[in-house]
């Protein structure tokens, strides 16, 4: 539903036409060094430290699947080590396979702040997500025959929060 999505599709078709493998990443997050390019999780943590308010760009009712960066790396290593076991038309979705509302992600981050005694408010927007147009992508579980993610969203958020807290201390 966007030029970004269209370009991803073109890249996938081109890669498959060459016999290559396509891995689809679903909202990979982790420790960032450049806070200006933060997305959802790192953005919410940054806003909590800087303003004490997680002001959201949507109402937070849209759902996403998040995957911790180390789990993504582990999945790619499995794909590389088992490259010949895959065909170019295999659906290799690299995700946690757990969907969560963005407002609930904000609440998990708010909880991290409460652990350090900092009050952070969540301020959802009245706007709804228009990029996905209320459609939900379904991840293929085919890759689970070789790999499973090991970091829960709670643990991954805690790791990112701890790293970012050092920056803000």
């Amino acid at each position: 539903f966007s030029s970004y999505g269209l370009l991803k599709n073109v890249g996938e078709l081109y890669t498959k036409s060459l016999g290559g493998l396509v891995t689809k990443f679903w909202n990979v997050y982790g420790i960032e060094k450049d806070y200006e390019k933060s997305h959802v999780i790192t953005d919410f943590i940054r806003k909590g430290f800087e303003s004490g308010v997680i002001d959201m760009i949507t109402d937070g009712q849209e759902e996403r699947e998040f995957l911790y960066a180390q789990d993504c790396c582990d999945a790619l290593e499995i794909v590389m080590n088992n490259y010949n076991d895959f065909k170019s038309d295999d659906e290799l979705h690299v995700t946690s396979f757990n969907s969560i509302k963005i407002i609930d992600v904000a609440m998990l981050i708010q909880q991290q702040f409460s652990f350090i005694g900092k009050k952070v408010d969540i301020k959802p927007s009245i706007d709804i997500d228009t990029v996905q147009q209320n459609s939900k992508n379904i991840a293929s579980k085919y890759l689970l025959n070789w790999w499973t993610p090991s970091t829960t969203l709670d643990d991954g958020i805690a790791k990112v929060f701890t790293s970012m807290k050092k920056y803000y201390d």
Side-chain angles (χ1 to χ4, degrees), residues 113-152:
F113 281 104
S114 72
F115 294 154
I116 64 167
K118 180 174 173 66
K119 183 180 180 337
V120 169
D121 295 319
I122 299 172
K123 183 180 173 188
S125 172
I126 59 169
D127 296 331
I128 61 170
D129 174 40
T130 57
V131 174
Q132 297 289 335
Q133 299 182 4
N134 292 327
S135 67
K136 185 170 180 189
N137 295 321
I138 306 297
S140 166
K141 295 187 176 187
Y142 181 68
L143 188 56
L144 291 175
N145 292 316
W146 290 266
W147 162 85
T148 54
S150 61
T151 308
T152 66

Side-chain angles (χ1 to χ4, degrees), residues 69-132:
Q70 184 59 54
D71 286 334
C72 181
C73 294
D74 294 343
L76 290 174
E77 185 174 14
I78 293 291
V79 170
M80 287 184 291
N81 289 336
N82 297 282
Y83 189 86
N84 293 328
D85 293 340
F86 300 109
K87 299 181 296 303
S88 66
D89 60 342
D90 286 339
E91 293 287 330
L92 303 176
H93 291 241
V94 182
T95 181
S96 65
F97 302 96
N98 293 309
S99 185
I100 185 170
K101 289 183 179 183
I102 299 299
I103 190 76
D104 294 331
V105 172
M107 287 190 251
L108 289 173
I109 291 167
Q110 183 184 46
Q111 183 180 40
Q112 289 294 315
F113 281 104
S114 72
F115 294 154
I116 64 167
K118 180 174 173 66
K119 183 180 180 337
V120 169
D121 295 319
I122 299 172
K123 183 180 173 188
S125 172
I126 59 169
D127 296 331
I128 61 170
D129 174 40
T130 57
V131 174
Q132 297 289 335

Side-chain angles (χ1 to χ4, degrees), residues 6 24 29 64 67 83 93 116 125-126 129 148 153-154 166-167:
L6 182 62
K24 295 183 180 183
Y29 70 97
R64 299 288 185 269
L67 182 70
Y83 189 86
H93 291 241
I116 64 167
S125 172
I126 59 169
D129 174 40
T148 54
L153 184 58
D154 286 344
K166 291 176 188 171
Y167 173 81

Side-chain angles (χ1 to χ4, degrees), residues 40-62:
V40 186
I41 291 172
T42 50
D43 186 47
F44 287 178
I45 295 170
R46 183 182 58 79
K47 288 178 177 182
F49 278 115
E50 293 179 2
S51 70
V53 178
I54 299 172
D55 59 327
M56 301 171 59
I57 60 173
T58 69
D59 64 1
Q61 294 306 305
E62 69 275 17

Side-chain angles (χ1 to χ4, degrees), residues 45 49 109 112-113 116 157-165:
I45 295 170
F49 278 115
I109 291 167
Q112 289 294 315
F113 281 104
I116 64 167
I157 286 174
K159 289 176 184 182
V160 173
F161 183 88
T162 299
S163 173
M164 291 179 74
K165 182 178 180 303

